[in-house]
């Protein structure tokens, strides 16, 4: 609603990135290491998004604490149960109004914008928590953050982005495994010429920025920041030109036909990125809102996820749809479990990559058919370098903002804020 | 000047007629139109009655009490009003009129249900409508100081279509126009072949779109990974354009034929010429084209510097040019259309005419989706675009240039929301043709049919009403078979994929309402969606999109009780019994149900699952319609005004690259008037947009406080 408030807020958050960037040594020192072991593996943050909510009947586990009994869907978590926190009762951005539920669940899923503080496109998309985390965790990596997704070419930004640099400025995402890989590990040719090119256009951008104000300047800022990020990659590439050994992986030219294989490859690239410390922050949208069709190869039916979600549970047809949604939920969760198992298989000294990561899994909607954003299906996996105690189901009092979880995650990566979005405090209970 | 008089003036000048009441309807989310329906009545009564006007009366009796009851608790003078909006300041209608920007915000907040907040008592739907309609009226009035606002357009990044066309035109790489005819000699009488080949193998991601169009500055963002693609593409392009590219993978014979030739930029110079002088001339030429305006010496200098650097190492003139050209292709001045560089002295918020070069650029991206050609730049340089007759001549020339074909590929398909119909997936079990390639081709032909009608109207300068009411169609054999139109021409020995103009004798075909592309795009894979079709008619043809459903609404199937196995029509009826749903679905559903004779792939049907299709509906304005033919008539007669306005709004949005705002209402009215006075000719629409105040002017951006 209020332009001035929004802009100043963005400036503040950007400023934050700078100030916390200054004492590099302190910033890089692991919280738990008491300054001694600088070799200790770094903390990583990953967020996995699934579209369209879930079949909550088959999702909700019984019992809380360590003794929770898995629901049908969550049963697939069994192999990694000890590494997962099931979080119930968290509400996303209550009172926010706007377009229909899918973009409203998706676009501001990780947003720090106050409720109903909109960008010029009408959504509350101020800088998202992954990008805040990247300002802190990404200072020493080739890429501050990696954005992945299995759906390509949506012209509707708000159905297809959870990661935002600022109001209305999505990070976009990589879809082709090859281009994701080459962004992380590719040989950025550090030729003088590319640099001279960038110098020239950077000079132009700088003088343009001086001339314009307001939204014009924001547009030019996007340009400026994008060029900066490329310059940064070149600098990094030059620094580790001698030591850099891109990992070996066999990637197909095209996108794999099987959905599960597409997810697996992108997961693998994220894992390699973490392993080689090429990035420490990753968001991965397994699917864009409002979901996709073509499930035959994986699940044997061709219904569209979104049309399945629109159902009447009192009818046979509705029950059948519910069943199919549960199968889709199970499919996604299985890919997530593979990811966690893969991370667990990577040893980092005494610990594993999974131990040194925080991976949030969830959807911006509870039920697709209700388009509601209360009691979201959420799983928090990994040990967060000893800051998360898994193996439990935590039921929070109804109405607890999911922003409290965001605040708690940011706190763990070293971004200290009092408030994001509609948070009322840090989410307790994640550590025993 | 009394309010009543003002209204009378606008009403007469706008040539509006009373029409059925509707809810609001600007694609931009601005809110003036429903209001018009009350004006005439208001004005007439306002003029007849002495004393306070009816508008004032309405404000005092109906509006102010609602504001007091629902808004001023937070937006009042006690303490600090929320959002610095103090509604108690406005005691009369005139107070409101001088604060239009504030009330535009209020109207937006009300319309989107953002206000009152959830925690406060809610407005009844009827009260909300009344407030929004009243605000519409206020916002459609000219500003009291007589100043017009042309709006502000942010620097616009070229979208991927524009980028592709622009780089090809910049280097002079021959473009394929995907048609076997040249618009210069008008619309052909001979069969038309449509191809889908791209000339350059450039892959760029899809751009964000807003209000249906992918050229809206606000959502054309530039994330780092896109910038990386621009850099990589620039490197690739200079290799292609300098003739040194290794074989590139391309399906187009034109491009294949092109590889290996150097373009004008990279042509070598005579042996005895001074490379640096020549480079300066060449680069100045190139940058003028790339930046779509002359460049200063100061701007040229760094590019010459790049040339010097490369020349020292390369020793070859053409090779050394690659570096500065590469830089130009990633320059903000190339990637963005930046206006206002020339008005250093203007104050923020000032309204000024666009410069000649800015106008040339606006024109060429509006009609061609590419950079201005040499003639436009020359006219801009001479200042000739300021002369109305020269400008009109240029526009008419542009409408006949082969590049105009981009207009149907971009504007038409996005306006009709059929741009993705090629990837539609009708159920192959229900519709066997979609088991394989023929189905895929059919989807392409559906799109071609739509484009050809548009191109015909454009090139023959027919009435835009033909878009709905055409008594002819462009068909090829597969499409004629799909429509079950049997005519020897489509089945003779020579019949094939070429399109020919077919005179229809059956009104069940002809015009956009009967396009299979539209029916397919608005259907699910196995069934039609009357709601989606109704929404389509409201958005695309009537310009009155329904607001989004409120959060947590009951689903269609749940709303009316256990509705198992009821026909869709019955389910929708039950759904509408819920007052939450009825307000909007009463408007959408009947329009969609009237199209039920078209199945999910646009074939005519009399029955569905053994039940006779009932396409008889009653609209909220009391009109009874029976089927698509009635709907067509209704749009062309009773709702002609709305249809014309809606098309003007869509095209103006596309031309300006920004959503329309309340202050654009006057421009829309002016264009509409011109159309009414000139048989709704297509060229009048385009010229009207080009001449319009917002197209010819710009407001400099106010700096953020």
């Amino acid at each position: 609603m209020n332009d001035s408030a929004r802009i100043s807020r963005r400036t503040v958050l950007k400023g934050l990135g700078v100030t916390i960037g200054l004492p590099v040594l302190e910033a890089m020192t692991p919280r738990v290491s008491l300054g001694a072991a600088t070799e200790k593996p770094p903390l990583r943050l990953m967020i996995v998004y699934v579209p369209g909510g879930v079949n909550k009947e088959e999702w909700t586990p019984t019992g809380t604490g360590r003794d929770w009994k898995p629901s049908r869907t969550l049963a697939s978590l069994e192999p990694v149960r000890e590494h997962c926190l099931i979080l119930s009762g968290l509400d996303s951005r209550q009172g926010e109004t706007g377009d229909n539920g899918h973009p409203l669940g998706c676009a501001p899923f990780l947003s720090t914008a106050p409720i109903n503080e909109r960008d010029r496109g009408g959504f509350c998309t101020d800088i998202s928590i992954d990008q805040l985390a990247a300002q802190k965790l990404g200072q020493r990596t080739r890429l501050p953050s990696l954005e992945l997704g299995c759906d390509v070419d949506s012209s509707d930004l708000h159905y297809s982005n959870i990661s935002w640099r600022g109001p209305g400025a999505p990070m976009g995402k990589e879809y082709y495994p090859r281009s994701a890989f080459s962004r992380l590990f590719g040989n950025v040719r550090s030729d003088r010429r590319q640099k001279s090119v960038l110098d020239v256009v950077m000079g132009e951008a700088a003088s343009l920025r001086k001339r314009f104000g307001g939204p014009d300047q924001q547009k030019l800022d996007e340009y400026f920041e994008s060029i900066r990020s490329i310059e940064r990659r070149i600098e990094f590439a030059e620094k580790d030109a001698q030591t850099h050994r891109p990992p070996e992986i066999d990637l197909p030219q095209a996108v794999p036909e099987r959905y599960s294989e597409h997810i697996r490859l992108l997961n693998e690239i994220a894992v390699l990125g973490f392993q080689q410390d090429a990035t420490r922050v990753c968001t991965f949208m397994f699917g864009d809102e409002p979901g996709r069709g073509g499930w035959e190869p994986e699940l044997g039916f061709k219904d569209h996820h979104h049309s399945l979600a629109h159902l009447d549970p009192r009818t046979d047809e509705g029950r059948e749809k519910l069943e199919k949604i549960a199968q889709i939920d199970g499919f996604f969760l299985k890919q997530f479990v593979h990811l966690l198992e893969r991370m667990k298989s990577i040893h980092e000294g005494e610990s594993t990559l999974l131990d040194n990561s925080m991976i949030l899994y969830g959807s911006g909607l509870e039920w697709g058919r209700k388009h509601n954003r209360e009691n979201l299906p959420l799983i928090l996996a990994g040990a967060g370098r000893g800051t998360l105690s898994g193996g439990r189901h935590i039921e929070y009092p109804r109405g607890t903002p999911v922003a409290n979880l965001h605040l708690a995650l940011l706190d763990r990566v070293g971004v200290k804020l009092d408030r994001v979005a509609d948070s009322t405090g840090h989410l307790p209970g994640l550590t025993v | 000047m009394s309010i009543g008089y003002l209204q009378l003036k606008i009403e007469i000048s706008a040539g509006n007629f009373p029409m059925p009441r509707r809810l609001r309807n600007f694609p931009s989310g601005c809110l003036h139109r429903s209001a018009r329906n009350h004006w005439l009545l208001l004005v007439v009564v306002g003029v007849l009655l002495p004393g306070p006007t009816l508008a004032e009366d309405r404000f005092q009796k109906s509006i102010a009490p609602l504001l007091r009851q629902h808004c001023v608790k937070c937006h009042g003078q006690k303490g600090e009003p929320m959002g610095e909006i103090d509604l108690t300041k406005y005691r009369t209608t005139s107070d409101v009129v001088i604060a239009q920007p504030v009330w535009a915000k209020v109207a937006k907040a009300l319309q989107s249900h953002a206000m009152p907040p959830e925690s406060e008592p809610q407005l009844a739907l009827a009260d909300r409508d009344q407030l929004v309609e009243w605000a519409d009226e206020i916002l459609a009035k000219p500003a009291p100081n007589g100043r017009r606002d042309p709006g502000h357009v942010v620097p616009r990044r070229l979208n991927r279509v524009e980028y592709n066309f622009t780089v090809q035109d910049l280097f002079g790489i021959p473009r394929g126009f995907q048609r076997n005819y040249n618009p210069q000699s008008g619309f052909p009488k001979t069969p038309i072949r449509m191809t889908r080949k791209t000339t350059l193998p450039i892959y760029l991601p899809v751009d964000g779109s807003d209000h249906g169009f992918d050229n809206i500055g606000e959502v054309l963002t530039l994330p780092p990974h896109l910038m990386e693609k621009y850099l990589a593409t620039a490197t690739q392009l200079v290799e292609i354009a300098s003739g040194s590219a290794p074989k590139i993978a391309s399906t187009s014979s034109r491009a294949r034929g092109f590889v290996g030739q150097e373009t004008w930029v990279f042509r070598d110079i005579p042996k005895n010429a001074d490379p640096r002088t020549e480079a300066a001339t060449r680069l100045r030429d190139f940058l003028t084209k790339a930046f779509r305006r002359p460049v200063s010496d100061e701007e040229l200098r760094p590019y010459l510097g790049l040339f010097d650097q490369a020349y020292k190492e390369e020793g070859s003139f053409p090779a050394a040019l690659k570096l500065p050209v590469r830089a130009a292709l990633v320059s903000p001045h190339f990637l963005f259309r930046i206006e206002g560089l020339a008005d250093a002295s203007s104050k923020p918020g000032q309204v000024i005419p666009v410069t000649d070069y800015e106008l040339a650029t606006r024109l060429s991206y509006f009609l061609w989706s590419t950079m201005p050609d040499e003639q436009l730049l020359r006219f801009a340089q001479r200042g000739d675009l300021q002369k109305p007759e020269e400008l009109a001549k240029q526009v008419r020339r542009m409408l006949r240039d082969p590049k105009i074909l981009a207009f149907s590929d971009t504007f038409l398909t996005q306006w009709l929301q059929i741009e993705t119909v090629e990837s539609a997936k009708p159920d192959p079990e229900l519709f066997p043709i979609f088991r394989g390639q023929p189905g895929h081709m059919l989807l392409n032909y559906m799109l071609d049919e739509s484009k050809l009608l548009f191109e015909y109207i454009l090139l023959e300068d027919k009435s835009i009403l033909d878009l709905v009411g055409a008594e002819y169609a462009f068909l090829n054999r597969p499409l004629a078979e799909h429509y079950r139109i049997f005519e020897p021409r489509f089945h003779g020995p020579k019949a094939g994929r070429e399109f020919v103009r077919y005179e229809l004798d059956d009104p069940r075909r002809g015009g956009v309402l009967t396009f299979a592309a539209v029916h397919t795009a608005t259907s699910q894979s196995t069934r039609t969606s009357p709601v989606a079709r109704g929404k389509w008619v409201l958005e695309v043809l009537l310009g009155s999109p329904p607001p989004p459903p409120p959060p947590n609404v009951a689903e269609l199937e749940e709303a009316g009780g256990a509705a198992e196995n009821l026909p869709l029509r019955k389910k929708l009826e039950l759904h509408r019994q819920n007052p939450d749903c009825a307000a909007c679905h009463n408007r959408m559903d009947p329009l969609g149900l009237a199209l039920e004779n078209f199945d999910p792939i646009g074939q005519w049907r009399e029955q569905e699952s053994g039940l006779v299709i009932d396409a008889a509906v009653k609209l909220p304005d009391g009109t009874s319609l029976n089927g698509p033919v009635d709907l067509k008539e209704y749009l062309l007669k009773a709702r002609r005004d709305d249809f014309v306005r809606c098309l003007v709004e869509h095209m103006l949005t596309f031309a300006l690259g920004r959503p329309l705002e309340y202050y654009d209402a006057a421009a829309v009215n002016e264009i509409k008037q011109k159309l009414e006075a000139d048989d709704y000719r297509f060229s009048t629409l385009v010229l009207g947009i080009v001449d319009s105040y917002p197209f010819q002017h710009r407001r400099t951006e106010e700096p953020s406080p």
Side-chain angles (χ1 to χ4, degrees):
Chain A
M1 292 298 297
N2 185 328
D3 278 5
S4 64
R6 187 167 59 237
I7 288 157
S8 63
R9 176 183 172 74
R10 190 181 176 200
T11 319
V12 169
L13 287 171
K14 261 197 220 154
L16 176 89
V18 175
T19 46
I20 58 180
L22 286 177
V24 172
L25 274 179
E26 191 201 87
M28 298 308 297
T29 308
R31 271 160 52 93
V32 290
S33 75
L34 303 171
T38 41
E39 293 296 308
K40 201 163 182 234
L43 179 61
R44 283 78 149 206
L45 174 68
M46 182 162 174
I47 290 134
V48 174
Y49 187 85
V50 292
V54 297
N55 174 345
K56 211 53 187 303
E57 289 174 14
E58 303 287 1
W59 173 281
T60 312
T62 45
T64 55
R66 293 201 57 83
D67 298 326
W68 66 279
K69 293 206 175 41
S71 56
R72 171 184 156 195
T73 303
L74 295 188
S76 27
L77 276 182
E78 210 46 42
V80 287
R81 178 184 167 119
E82 278 310 300
H83 304 276
C84 294
L85 283 164
I86 316 299
L87 307 178
S88 292
L90 298 181
D91 292 0
S92 177
R93 310 186 65 88
Q94 293 306 294
E96 193 147 296
T97 54
D99 204 337
N100 85 52
H102 294 282
L104 214 52
C106 173
F109 182 62
L110 303 174
S111 169
T112 57
I115 302 306
N116 282 323
E117 185 179 293
R118 290 154 210 281
D119 63 28
R120 290 163 75 95
F123 286 85
C124 307
T125 57
D126 208 339
I127 188 166
S128 50
I129 60 160
D130 60 300
Q131 288 306 301
L132 274 180
Q135 290 179 358
K136 183 85 179 177
L137 294 180
Q139 291 165 14
R140 285 197 172 176
T141 57
R142 291 183 135 218
L143 267 191
S145 64
L146 177 68
E147 294 74 35
L148 303 170
C150 285
D151 286 318
V152 72
D153 283 4
S154 165
S155 66
D156 205 322
L157 304 180
H158 302 104
Y159 285 72
S160 54
N161 284 287
I162 54 172
S163 179
W164 303 79
R165 285 192 284 178
M171 287 299 289
K173 51 200 199 306
E174 293 291 346
Y175 161 76
Y176 294 101
R178 281 203 172 193
S179 59
F181 183 83
S182 79
R183 279 198 83 203
L184 264 182
F185 302 109
N187 196 5
V188 187
R189 269 190 309 156
S190 54
D191 65 312
R192 290 191 319 289
R193 298 203 162 169
Q194 182 81 299
K195 271 171 127 180
S196 327
V197 165
L198 294 180
D199 284 347
V200 168
V201 296
M202 200 63 161
E204 291 177 336
S207 69
L208 277 172
R209 275 175 67 174
K210 270 185 231 146
R211 296 194 59 154
F212 291 103
D216 286 2
Q217 196 182 40
Q218 276 185 37
K219 282 279 148 195
L220 297 163
D221 277 352
E222 280 185 42
Y223 179 90
F224 203 78
E225 286 168 28
S226 288
I227 296 278
R228 278 271 302 271
S229 83
I230 293 167
E231 288 182 329
R232 185 176 174 284
R233 281 182 65 202
I234 295 176
E235 282 162 29
F236 269 85
E238 280 175 350
K239 250 188 282 174
D240 65 4
Q242 304 305 318
T243 53
H244 178 56
R245 297 271 177 281
E248 287 186 13
I249 178 174
D250 196 16
L251 292 173
Q253 193 77 42
V255 167
E257 266 177 38
R258 278 192 89 96
Y259 197 0
S260 53
E261 180 62 6
H262 192 186
I263 295 179
R264 187 190 71 80
L265 285 177
L266 292 178
N267 269 339
E268 183 60 22
I269 288 163
V271 168
L272 289 172
F274 289 151
Q275 188 183 11
Q276 301 239 341
D277 207 20
T279 191
R280 295 177 188 175
V281 177
C282 174
T283 52
F284 186 178
M285 294 182 74
F286 278 4
D288 287 358
E289 291 291 349
R292 59 158 76 184
W295 290 94
E296 299 99 316
E298 303 286 359
L299 300 173
F301 55 80
K302 62 192 167 193
D303 308 62
H304 196 282
H305 190 172
H306 184 236
S307 3
L308 285 175
H310 288 249
L311 59 88
D312 180 351
R314 294 161 303 188
T315 63
D316 290 346
E317 192 195 357
R319 300 308 306 176
E320 197 183 307
K321 285 178 165 183
L322 276 172
E323 166 60 27
K324 287 176 178 168
I325 291 172
Q327 288 181 31
I328 292 176
D329 300 341
F331 168 82
F332 282 137
L333 206 60
K334 210 161 88 188
Q335 316 311 315
F336 180 61
V337 171
H338 291 330
L339 168 70
L340 300 185
E341 288 180 316
R342 179 78 180 94
M343 292 174 87
K344 196 177 161 184
S345 75
I346 291 172
H347 291 276
E348 301 189 316
E350 302 285 290
S351 55
T352 69
L353 175 56
L354 186 56
D355 293 330
N356 298 312
S357 302
M358 305 190 290
I359 310 110
L360 177 65
Y361 175 96
S363 181
L365 301 176
E366 182 194 18
W367 280 98
R369 79 185 150 98
K370 292 185 191 157
H371 288 161
N372 65 322
R373 289 170 283 124
E374 293 95 18
N375 196 9
L376 294 186
L378 295 169
I379 299 169
L380 183 57
R385 276 206 328 202
T387 65
L388 302 174
S389 321
R392 295 174 299 138
H393 170 216
I394 311 179
E395 217 174 299
Y396 289 97
R398 290 305 298 272
T400 307
V402 78
N404 291 5
L405 170 64
H406 294 164
L407 211 51
L409 293 177
L410 285 173
D411 186 62
R412 282 165 170 77
V413 303
V415 177
K416 307 291 179 188
L417 292 173
D418 293 330
R419 193 180 161 83
V420 291
D422 55 346
S423 69
T424 54
H426 291 242
L427 194 70
L430 301 177
T431 321
V432 181
Chain B
M1 188 187 288
S2 81
I3 301 291
Y5 176 69
L6 265 180
Q7 283 169 340
L8 183 64
K9 205 169 132 200
I10 313 156
E11 198 55 39
I12 289 169
S13 69
N16 286 326
F17 301 99
M19 62 191 76
R21 255 194 63 182
R22 298 153 305 171
L23 292 175
R24 57 161 304 262
N25 46 10
F26 229 37
S28 60
C30 99
L31 316 163
H32 74 292
R33 306 228 335 254
S34 54
R36 282 178 304 111
N37 308 323
H38 306 282
W39 284 12
L40 198 60
L41 181 70
L42 283 174
V43 169
V44 171
V45 180
V47 169
L48 294 179
L49 287 176
T53 62
L54 189 67
E56 189 59 47
D57 207 35
R58 183 175 176 208
F59 177 66
Q60 300 300 349
K61 286 200 177 132
S62 316
I63 303 302
L66 282 176
L67 297 173
R68 276 198 295 276
Q69 189 184 342
H70 290 280
C71 311
V72 300
K73 187 177 133 198
C74 305
H75 298 288
Q77 274 167 328
K78 279 177 202 152
E80 282 180 31
M82 297 281 275
E84 288 168 28
I85 290 183
D86 176 3
L87 297 182
T88 57
K89 283 199 294 203
Y90 307 98
R91 293 171 193 284
T92 65
T93 320
S94 353
D95 293 343
V96 175
V97 174
I98 53 171
Q100 279 176 339
V102 174
W103 288 87
K105 279 189 182 176
V106 173
K108 222 169 204 169
L110 285 168
Q111 204 281 328
S112 65
H113 290 239
M115 287 285 145
E118 214 178 334
S119 52
E120 298 294 324
Q122 290 300 300
L123 275 158
L125 211 55
D127 289 340
R128 192 182 289 268
D129 283 352
Q130 191 185 358
L131 278 175
V132 169
E133 285 180 15
W134 166 81
D136 281 359
E137 276 176 46
I138 299 291
L139 294 174
K141 290 176 201 298
N145 56 8
R147 202 190 102 165
R148 290 185 72 165
D149 187 345
H152 176 75
V153 183
V154 295
R156 266 195 281 173
R157 177 172 65 72
L158 302 183
N159 68 24
R160 64 175 183 166
V161 173
E162 293 165 342
Y163 180 93
N164 246 294
F165 289 159
T166 303
V167 293
Q168 291 177 68
D169 292 345
L170 181 58
F171 289 110
I173 298 173
R175 270 166 64 180
F177 289 101
Q178 310 196 345
R179 317 280 195 280
N180 68 336
Y181 75 89
N182 186 339
Q184 253 142 7
S185 29
F187 195 83
K189 302 234 180 319
T190 49
I192 301 164
R193 218 170 36 251
M194 310 277 275
T195 55
R196 11 193 71 73
K197 282 172 185 164
T198 47
T199 320
L200 270 184
I202 295 174
Y203 171 79
L204 291 171
V206 164
D207 302 291
S209 64
D210 187 21
H211 292 83
F213 296 112
D214 63 1
N215 67 349
I216 305 297
E218 207 60 69
V219 294
L220 286 166
T221 61
L222 180 49
H225 76 115
L226 180 57
M227 195 63 228
E228 287 169 32
K229 290 195 169 82
Y230 280 138
L231 272 168
T233 307
T235 311
Q236 190 194 357
L237 274 171
V238 293
E239 295 306 315
I240 295 173
S242 61
S244 45
K247 241 190 156 140
I248 49 166
S250 166
T251 50
S252 159
S253 55
R254 279 169 189 274
R256 266 204 303 279
F258 177 76
V259 169
Q261 297 169 26
E262 85 278 359
T263 54
W264 66 276
V265 191
F266 294 103
R267 227 151 265 161
D268 209 348
I269 44 164
K271 285 252 162 357
N272 52 358
D274 170 37
R276 194 148 201 280
T277 321
E278 294 288 331
T281 316
R282 187 73 60 84
L283 283 174
R284 188 181 289 279
D285 264 14
F286 182 75
L287 292 178
T288 303
K289 287 193 168 120
F291 297 174
R292 304 165 282 264
R293 58 174 174 81
V295 290
S296 66
D297 292 343
E298 198 189 331
E299 284 179 303
L300 180 63
R301 200 170 301 127
Y303 289 90
L304 261 182
L306 288 176
F307 172 82
D308 291 342
Q309 182 195 336
Y311 192 72
K312 230 184 281 167
E313 291 161 26
E314 302 272 352
S316 144
F317 180 81
L321 276 174
K322 284 186 194 174
L323 194 60
V325 168
R326 216 170 105 190
L329 291 175
V330 292
S331 161
H333 294 288
F334 173 71
L335 292 176
F336 286 90
R337 291 164 52 190
I338 303 170
E339 296 183 339
L341 286 167
D343 48 74
S345 56
S346 63
K347 294 185 204 75
Q350 198 177 335
V351 172
I352 42 178
V354 292
T355 67
D356 290 272
Y357 286 99
E358 286 165 354
L359 185 57
T361 301
R362 283 185 174 201
L363 277 172
S364 68
Y365 282 94
F366 166 35
L367 294 172
W368 290 345
S369 296
T370 189
M371 57 185 274
D373 64 358
E374 297 206 15
Q375 208 179 122
L376 273 174
L377 287 178
R378 202 162 59 237
F379 271 64
Q381 188 198 356
R382 292 202 303 244
D384 282 348
L385 294 178
Q386 303 292 345
K387 303 173 193 156
E389 69 282 8
E390 292 293 331
L391 177 62
K393 236 192 255 173
Q394 280 299 309
V395 171
R396 289 188 192 281
R397 174 182 75 87
M398 293 178 75
L399 288 172
R400 283 292 177 118
D401 189 282
K403 296 194 193 92
I404 195 64
L405 296 172
F407 200 34
S408 66
D409 291 336
T410 52
F411 171 74
L412 176 83
T413 58
Q414 295 189 65
W415 167 49
L416 293 184
Q417 306 180 2
I418 53 175
E419 74 272 28
T420 54
V421 80
E422 281 165 298
S423 51
K425 295 209 170 19
D427 185 49
E429 276 168 36
L430 286 175
F431 310 107
I433 191 174
F434 289 98
R435 278 186 197 144
Q437 190 63 13
H440 180 68
M441 293 309 295
L442 186 63
L443 292 171
N444 284 328
Y445 299 146
M446 293 177 182
L447 207 52
D448 293 344
E449 174 199 19
S450 320
K451 290 179 190 173
L452 284 172
L453 176 66
F454 187 74
E455 287 164 25
Y456 174 80
I457 291 170
L458 185 157
L459 291 172
E460 297 288 306
D461 207 6
K462 294 284 179 200
S463 159
I464 54 170
L465 299 181
D466 272 14
L467 287 164
V468 173
E471 291 171 358
Y472 49 89
F474 296 88
L475 302 174
N476 63 2
R477 179 177 175 162
L479 204 55
E481 280 173 359
H482 187 65
Y483 289 165
R484 302 196 195 95
I485 290 175
F486 295 100
E487 217 249 358
R489 262 195 303 169
F490 296 122
H491 299 276
K494 283 190 178 166
R497 291 170 180 172
E498 285 86 6
F499 282 82
V500 292
R501 187 186 138 123
Y502 178 77
E503 300 296 328
L504 297 160
D505 46 18
D506 183 345
R508 290 181 299 173
R509 291 286 168 196
V512 296
L513 274 174
T514 72
F515 281 170
V518 169
H519 304 140
T520 309
T522 53
S523 293
Q524 315 244 0
S525 64
T526 56
R527 63 167 177 89
T528 60
S529 168
V531 179
R533 284 186 181 173
K535 183 165 172 268
W536 182 90
V537 174
L538 287 173
E539 271 177 16
V540 175
L541 302 181
L542 293 171
S544 55
N552 299 343
V553 290
E555 279 305 323
L556 168 63
E557 285 86 350
E558 285 177 57
E564 202 174 357
N565 301 331
L566 280 177
L568 199 53
R569 194 185 166 96
K570 290 278 173 232
K571 282 188 189 171
L572 287 169
E573 268 168 32
L574 287 171
H575 188 210
R576 288 197 299 273
Q577 287 173 2
N578 181 336
D580 281 350
C581 313
C584 301
H585 282 271
N586 280 341
R587 301 168 58 218
M588 290 189 279
D589 301 357
L591 292 168
L593 287 167
L595 291 168
E596 270 295 271
N597 284 114
F598 294 112
D599 77 2
I601 56 172
Q603 287 189 311
W604 187 268
R605 60 180 180 183
E606 299 286 345
Q607 294 193 345
E608 193 206 359
S609 329
L611 295 171
V612 174
I613 300 270
D614 179 4
V617 296
K618 195 163 179 197
L619 304 181
D621 65 12
T623 310
S624 292
L625 303 175
N626 191 359
V629 178
D630 278 5
L631 180 55
K632 219 197 280 191
E633 278 302 297
Y634 171 72
L635 287 174
L636 285 171
K637 301 226 167 93
R639 306 296 295 273
R640 171 183 295 193
D641 214 47
D642 291 303
F643 167 69
V644 172
R645 173 178 297 275
C646 175
L647 178 54
V648 172
E649 285 168 359
H650 276 94
M651 201 179 276
L652 188 60
T653 304
F654 181 81
L656 297 174
R658 65 164 174 81
L660 298 191
E661 297 289 344
Y662 66 91
Y663 42 72
D664 295 311
V668 171
N669 271 332
E670 285 157 8
I671 300 164
K672 201 168 130 273
Q673 261 179 289
K674 290 181 183 174
L675 278 163
E676 282 157 6
D678 190 28
D679 294 332
Y680 304 97
R681 270 175 207 281
F682 191 90
S683 62
T684 307
L685 171 57
V686 171
L687 284 165
I689 284 174
V690 169
D691 285 337
S692 73
Y693 192 78
F695 196 84
Q696 295 275 348
H697 295 80
R698 49 186 296 277
R699 166 164 48 82
T700 59
E701 185 54 43
E702 272 132 296
S704 42

